[in-house]
Every structure is written in C-alpha cells, then in structure tokens.
Amino acid sequence: MRLQEKLDLNVISPEQSKPRKKFKTEKWIPYLFILPSTLMVVAFLFYPIGTVFYYSLQNYNLAAPFYDSFAGFDNFIKIFTEDKFFFPSLLTTLKWVVSQVGLQLIFGMIAAILLNKTFKFRGLVRAAAFIPWAISGVLASVMWSLMYNEHMGVINDMLMRLGIIHENQAWLANNSTAFISVVIAELWRGIPFFAITLLASLQSIPEELYEAARVDGAGRWKSFIFVTIPQLKNTIILTTLLRVIWEFNNVDLIFNLTGGGPAGSTTTLTMYIAKQAIHGSNFGYGSALTVISFGILLTFAIVYLKITRFEREEG
Amino acid sequence: MNGAQKRLDKLFTFNIPILIMLMFTVFPLYWTINTAFKHEGDILKRPLQYVPASPTIENFVSAWTNVGFATYFKNSLIVGICTVVIVIILSILSGYALARYRFKGKRAFLLMLLCTQFIPRSMLIIPLFIVFKHLGLISHPLSLILTYAAVEIPFTTVLMNGFISNVPRELEEAAMIDGCNRMQALRYVIFPLLVPGIVATSVFTFIYTWNEFLLALMLTNQQGRFTLPVGLSYMMGEFNINYGALAAGSVIALIPAVILFSYAQKHLVNGLGGAVKG
C-alpha cells in the first residue's frame, strides 16, 4: 500500500495526513450531498402533502376563486352525512384491495415456487412471466379492453367456441361482470410483482433447512408450511403491506377500463378522488376525501404491523 | 415412486401449471400484436383471426403519423431521460453520503426516505396540480420531471447506498492519497465501478416514468404535451375508437419498456433479494 510506504518513509505523519482544518470542512460534505435530494423530496412530496390538510379545511375553487373561504370541518361533515358515493366507494375499495392482494399473493407464491426450480430455458420463462410488471396500467387496459370487447373480443369468441356462453357479453359494461373483469386484468399485471419479490427471498433460504425437514419426514406440503412460510414471513408482511397501499391507490385500470362504472360498481375511494380532482371544481372537498383516505391507510399500516409483529431484521 | 409416477407427478405439479401461467401472461401481449397487424376490416370480421390473414403495417403508420404517437413518444422520452439524469446524479450524491459518512441526522434522513414509501400517490394529484399551477408549469415537461424525480429519489438513494457500500473504501483512500480530491475519487474511482448499478437503477426509473398515468393525466392538459399513457388513455376514451391504431400504438409504447426490462430483470431478482435482506 502506498499509504504504508509513505508512512515508512516518514514523508507524512498520520496526524499530518488529516489536517485539522480539512477535517472541519469535511463535516459539511454529507449535508451538502443529501441537500438536493432532501429539497426535492420536501418540495414535491412533503410540502404538497402538508397542503392537502390545509385545503381540506377550505372551500378552494380554482375556477371560481371568489367563493374561496374557510370551511372548517364542513367538507368532512358533508362527506359523512350527505355524500351518497362515499360509503359505497369504501366498500368497493375493500373488495378491490382484498381480492387483489389476496389473489396476487397466492398466485405469486405459486409462480415463485415454480420458477425457483431448475429447468430448461428458465431464464427465458422467468423473463416472460415477469413482463407484465414492466407494462403500464394504461397499456394493460388497452390489451384487456381488446380482449373483453363485446363485438371483436377474443374472450367472447373463445367462450362461445367452448360452448360456455351462447351470446356475446359486454364484460365491462355489465353490472355483474365489470368488477371481476377489472380484477382479472389487474391480477395479470400484479402477480409478477409478488413472484419477483418472493422468488428473491426463496433463493435466500438455505437448502439445508429443506434437507433437515426431509430427514424429519416432512413431505412437500409440510416443508412448505414449516420451512418456506416462516422463512418468507417478513417478506410477505412487507410486500402485502406495500401492495395494499399500492392497490388502494391504483386506478389506472379502473379509470381506463370502466371509468368507475357501470353504476359506480368499480368506483374505489381513490377512483372517486381522481374523478373529483379531474372533473370536480372544489379542490377543498377532494382534499378532504384525500385526508380521509390517508387516515384509513395510516391506521391500517399501524394495525397491520402490530398484529403481524413485523420484525425488522438487523444487519 | 417409480419413473412413470414421477413423470405424472411432475406433469401435474410443474409442467401444466407453468404452461397455464405462461399462457395467461403471454396471450394478452400476443393478442395486441395480432390486432396491430390486422387490416381495419379484419379486426371486426367473424370468425376472429387468431393469426392476421394478410398482415399489414398500416396501423403503425397511422398511429405514428395521424394519431400523434410520434409526439407522445417524444414527450415520454424527454420526460424519462431528464428524470433519469436528475435521479441518478442526486441519488449518487445522497447514497454516497449515507455509505461513507457518519453524520448527525443520518437516521432522520433515512426515516424521511422510508416515510415517502408510505405516501399514497393519489394524495399528490390535487396538491401537486395546485403547486404547478402556481409555478405556471402545468403541461410543461418540468412538472412531470420534478415530480417523478422526487417520487423515485428515496428508493434509488437506498439502492445507491447499497451499491456504493460494496465498493471497498480502500480504493478511494488510495486514490486520495495519490492526490485526488474527494470529487475526483468519486468521479474516477467509484463511478466506473458503479456502472452496472447505475444502469439497473436508470432502467427502473425510466420504466416508472414511461408508465406513470394518474399524475401525468392531472398535470398535462394539452394534447401536444401528452405522454404515451395519457395519449393511449385519451384514444381509448374517444367515441369512435380506431382499434388497429390503438393496438399499434400500444405495441410502440411497449417496445422500449420490454427491451429495457428484459435486459434488467436479472438484476431485479438479485437486487431485490439484496434489498430485502439488507
């Protein structure tokens, strides 16, 4: 090492190599380095979030500023007592999030286990199975709307050929099928996320644990329950939590496939907020809805982490 | 179990499930490509053509020239590239600070980054619209670039912190003893070793910007400024949908994301494994 040579030659002494003055200026460097990132995050994430709370207590209308005024809790009172879309949207949100996260977890787990085996063309099959993750919600909407289409859709065509249905169905416009149709399309895009994260953690489970289970006489199912699940516990808790937040907020497919209809049957709370934000005139009211949705998610996250006793691995 | 039983077992627990899975993921892609290559009249014709009878590229031509996909593509590209540049520079700096320094407020900074992951994105649409309205940046690419960068920086900072921590500290110290200052050491010693990590991070950031919809919808209201997702959505909402051009436009939008993703998906599994473990 050069340092050692220089020390040996007494060219510099250890004290000299770090002059006091330089040390003092160095102290500022980490703050200088994190400053731009911090500014960005504060200016475009934390500050806007803060203003939502402020606007929720206002009547705030960009188109008609002369009506702007302090509203107190009026917006909230109106939401809970007069708004006939609010409670149905909560129920739809619950159905949406539970079905999405539950089914994504189950199918993602199956996919991860399958893809963790060794087989020919594994790399290629993995890439193909993960592709929907990289595809935008809007693109997925286009793809599925082409397939669900009443007149030219391939799903009607296939089901008719199989004799399951006898006339064309308008899957996305029909009250009884719209919700499930959007759920399937979103599953297509959501399963790969679980498959990727679960596969990543599956790879880190030491093979010896499975061997030990086998020696103890555990079959495939038992080693899944007693080795795989406990080893994946933290990953599962964290991914499901992040996914709940994500699906709660995700409206790309709902927006583009059904627009929240028919008859509001696919309007989640976030979809309702998006509609308010885009078409509605009172940003104060939309902000109040946003604050409520934030409260719901925050409560959920805290309760969820408590009851699952999530432990952060150290190191 | 004898050989035949074993094969049967494998067929039902492995071959068939994986085939179903692949069919489910690949078919929608195939169907979109199939539709994109059909003549307009053929799309509605019964029986449906599972392979285009006479493939044509007219849909691609019309999507690119008449419907505006050239503009949407250009807008998405500008927003994506600018966001990636900002995100990479800022997250290298902040990742470096985290990896190489102990300083007061480090935990607070990390906690702040963690908090951002729990911010519901939909919470941002109204206040960000108001912020950019005041700044006069609605429909300006900067509104999307700044927003996307802010959304991505926390995660990429943590990633960069991981990549930089993997570079041995001695390399840098040696360079500094040889007369480099800290910035030069960062530029000439650390940076080249970070290239694979930077590429992976750029790919994920780019895909995010390429795909984001709700914020882009809220912050752009001129058709000339639409990004691809907003343009596609706008086209889906039209009264007379030109399905051929819509499918072709989708394929155009799909290509960059899929190419980048196939390149980076290996890093994804390994990188996430590291991130979850660490």
Side-chain angles (χ1 to χ4, degrees), chain B residues 104-115:
Chain B
K104 238 191 196 157
K106 189 170 171 174
R107 279 189 84 90
F109 182 62
L110 276 167
L111 191 70
M112 180 186 86
L113 297 183
L114 185 71
C115 281

Side-chain angles (χ1 to χ4, degrees), chain B residues 124-136:
Chain B
L124 292 168
I125 53 177
I126 291 176
L128 275 179
F129 179 83
I130 297 172
V131 166
F132 287 114
K133 180 99 187 165
H134 288 317
L135 293 175

